Amino acid sequence: DEKDVLTEENLTVPVRHLDSATVVGGWWLPRLALYARERGALGAVPSERDDAVLFWYARRDRPIAIALAVAINEAIEPGASLDT
């Protein structure tokens, strides 16, 4: 079996350019959604659509994805929380 090897890539987005983060998709399509406050802030991400990027995660990692969304929202707006 041949597998493609992907190179590691990094993108830094200032928190002031983000609007929110949330866990979406439920059981079948678990994703962490990151939404931009400014048009084009996430444009460097190939999967960006409508100023949002979706990151897939394993179902077993849902608590981690929720914690990450909460941490991102706290960085954007201290005191923010995530309704799950």
Side-chain angles (χ1 to χ4, degrees):
D1 291 327
E2 289 187 35
K3 294 184 180 183
D4 292 331
V5 177
L6 302 175
T7 59
E8 182 178 318
E9 296 183 40
N10 295 296
L11 172 68
T12 301
V13 178
V15 170
R16 69 180 178 275
H17 293 186
L18 299 176
D19 185 58
S20 64
T22 190
V23 173
V24 298
W27 177 258
W28 295 108
L29 302 170
R31 294 159 291 157
L32 173 70
L34 189 59
Y35 300 96
R37 180 173 296 185
E38 299 182 9
R39 199 152 221 16
L42 300 171
V45 179
S47 62
E48 182 269 343
R49 177 166 285 169
D50 298 325
D51 297 317
V53 177
L54 300 175
F55 298 95
W56 292 87
Y57 63 87
R59 290 181 187 110
R60 69 180 178 274
D61 293 334
R62 182 176 173 79
I64 296 168
I66 290 171
L68 181 57
V70 168
I72 291 169
N73 287 325
E74 283 281 339
I76 294 168
E77 183 179 342
S81 64
L82 181 68
D83 295 324
T84 56

